[in-house]
Structures are given as structure tokens and as C-alpha cells.
Amino acid sequence: MNGLPTGRPAGALDARGAWERLLAIRTGAQAEAAGLRRDEHGRYRWRDAASAGADLLAERYLPLCLAGPRFTFAQLGQSVDGFIATRKGDADYVTGPEDREHLHRLRALSDAVVVGAGTAVADDPRLTVRACPGPHPVRVVLDPHGRVPPTRRLFTDGAAPTLWVVGAGSGPGRDLADGTAAAGVDVLVLPDTAAFAPRRLVHELARRGLGRVLVEGGGVTVSRFLHEGALDRLYVTVAPVLIGDGVPGLAFPGPDVMRDALRPPVRRAFLGEDTLFELDLRAARSGEPLDGEHGGTGKGGGEGQ
């Protein structure tokens, strides 16, 4: 399995078996039933012999498995100088195959995966789980102005359910709401651009049973969710590559002084040549730099992604 250690004692739990168990875990009781126990530091470990890959998967993904039924997280892969694509939008590929496998694992652990209109237009993504075993999430496209062509694979491939979130009066959204959507595509028409604010979107998805939400792209969409305080966790994978000029990753109004910068607790891991930063945005943070800045954020009218 890409990016995972393979050495293990004979008969030990391997990485594939560990991942299949992790997919079914959402509570501490389920973790214990799957063969995990807490050590003296409160961390879960496999009770029986396990490979290094199985241990790595539990350490990396069990906190997300146990995060609860309402949890919003995001993932970005970027260059060391902060870009997610070249100036012409080429992002194939900024990060390596280990990070792509990691992204697919995040999809498998989510109820819904969210992208903005710009990503849907530029990348024509599939947003399915292919690099590891696991269920496909519901694919959610934020398209307040109805500018994503209905020919995109998200609407035509039938690989997974898709929710197209459009603004009232947008052409494609109006037509599809009249019943012309392809099988597996549901259209949610929101009344105005204010309804596209991240916190309101998260609430609307939860009403539809989609409580565990992965915000995948692009940089504008992830930045809006971050700036409004709608994210519980942020994964950023940094590749040792310099682009120099391109599409930026995170960008939001920041504080005037460094002491007010957002400094959440972080875990680090290596994904091949890349470095993964996992930021816990729910934990206490000094400065609270996002306070007082929420009022004008999250409006869909300027959505570029």
C-alpha cells in the first residue's frame, strides 16, 4: 500500500486489514470492539500484533474516525512557496502519490466532499474513493451563479451521488430543478448569496444527514471556511517544490501583529517526500485572530473556486 511500512510479524494485522476496521469506527466502543485499546497516555493501540503500516493508519486516522457525527475538515496540497497550481491552473501534480492516497482516505471517512465552482470547472474532478478501499462520499458542488457546465463528470458519471448547490435564478440550477437532472444528481437551490456562507452550508448539509464534511477545494473555498471559523481541522500537505507564481492556497484577512496569528496545535507526518501538517482548529488558540472578522466572510457572490 503506497506510503505505508510493510514489515510485520507473521500473522500480524496488516495495513489493509487495519484500514477496513478503521472505516467502521465512529465511537470509542467501536474502536475497542475493532481491537484497539487505550495505553497509559490515553492513545489507542492495537491489542494484538500489528504491522508498522497498521499502527501508522491508526495513529493518523483514528482521531478523525472518533471526531463525532458533526465535523468539518479540509485538505490542501501545495508547494513550499504556497501555491496549489501554476499560473495557468495546472495542478497535476503538486504533491506526490502518498498525499493523493491520504486525500482518498479522507474522502472515505467523510459523508460529503465539497468543492467550489472554480474547481469543478477547471479540474473536472471525480471526487470518488479510488486509491484505497472505502465508500464514496456525496459530492457537493457550490455553484451560486450556476456556471458549472452540466457536462462535468460530477453530474454525468453516476459514480456517486452529487448535490449541486446553486443560487435562485441561476440558469442551469433552474433547469435542473425542473427535473432534468441526471440520475443521482440532486439540486439544492438557495435563496441568495448569503445562504452560501460556510456555517450556513454546514448546517444545511447536516440537515440532509451529511455531518462529516470534507472541504477539498479550491484555495478560495477552503480559505472561506477557515476564515469564518467553520473548520474543525485542516490538513495541509507541503511538497518540496517551488512554483514561484501561481494559484495561492490559503488566503484570508489576517491580523496586524504576529502575536494574534492563528497558532493551533499541530501534528506532522511524512508522506513520501511531502510533509503533512494536521491543524486542530477546535483547540484553544492564542489571540483568536478570527474574532470580529466573520461578518463579511463566506458570501457566495465572490466565489472564485
Side-chain angles (χ1 to χ4, degrees), residues 44-55:
Y44 281 96
R45 295 287 185 267
W46 297 110
R47 278 196 301 268
D48 301 322
S51 69
D55 288 335

Side-chain angles (χ1 to χ4, degrees), residues 17-276:
W19 176 247
E20 290 174 350
R21 296 188 191 184
L22 288 169
L23 284 171
I25 293 174
R26 293 295 180 269
T27 67
Q30 289 173 340
E32 300 226 359
L36 289 155
R37 60 174 176 79
R38 289 183 183 270
D39 63 17
E40 63 274 17
H41 303 292
R43 294 173 297 190
Y44 281 96
R45 295 287 185 267
W46 297 110
R47 278 196 301 268
D48 301 322
S51 69
D55 288 335
L56 183 151
L57 287 172
E59 179 180 4
R60 183 172 297 161
Y61 297 106
L62 187 60
L64 183 56
C65 295
L66 298 176
R70 292 284 299 273
F71 198 77
T72 305
F73 52 106
Q75 159 78 9
L76 279 180
Q78 66 179 46
S79 65
V80 75
D81 51 350
F83 298 107
I84 60 175
T86 68
R87 69 170 68 93
K88 293 189 176 182
D90 180 21
D92 294 336
Y93 289 102
V94 176
T95 57
E98 294 86 358
D99 182 51
R100 293 193 288 279
E101 183 182 45
H102 164 67
L103 174 59
H104 284 227
R105 292 190 189 280
L106 295 183
R107 290 176 184 172
L109 293 174
S110 66
D111 299 323
V113 55
V114 173
V115 295
T119 295
V121 171
D123 297 346
D124 193 16
R126 296 165 66 183
L127 304 183
T128 53
V129 178
R130 305 182 302 280
C132 65
H136 301 313
V138 175
R139 305 175 294 187
V140 179
V141 182
L142 304 182
D143 189 14
H145 305 297
R147 65 188 182 94
V148 182
T151 54
R152 285 298 184 264
R153 289 185 294 186
L154 291 165
F155 307 131
T156 61
D157 64 9
T162 299
L163 179 63
W164 197 354
V165 186
V166 300
S170 62
R174 182 180 62 248
D175 295 341
L176 289 173
D178 288 340
T180 59
V185 179
D186 191 11
V187 178
L188 172 62
V189 181
L190 298 182
D192 51 43
T193 55
F196 282 81
R199 286 180 179 274
R200 293 180 65 174
L201 286 166
V202 168
H203 179 72
E204 180 62 37
L205 292 177
R207 287 183 62 249
R208 292 172 166 258
L210 306 174
R212 295 171 59 89
V213 178
L214 168 61
V215 184
E216 186 170 319
V220 170
T221 301
V222 172
S223 296
R224 288 184 184 278
F225 274 75
L226 174 63
H227 184 51
E228 185 158 322
L231 291 180
D232 298 304
R233 188 166 299 166
L234 173 63
Y235 296 88
V236 179
T237 304
V238 179
V241 60
L242 295 167
I243 297 176
D245 178 24
V247 180
L250 296 172
F252 57 90
D256 293 330
V257 294
M258 277 301 301
R259 67 172 176 269
D260 289 334
L262 187 62
R263 296 182 186 271
V266 62
R267 295 201 305 168
R268 299 173 183 84
F270 291 113
L271 297 175
E273 294 184 346
D274 305 330
T275 303
L276 172 65

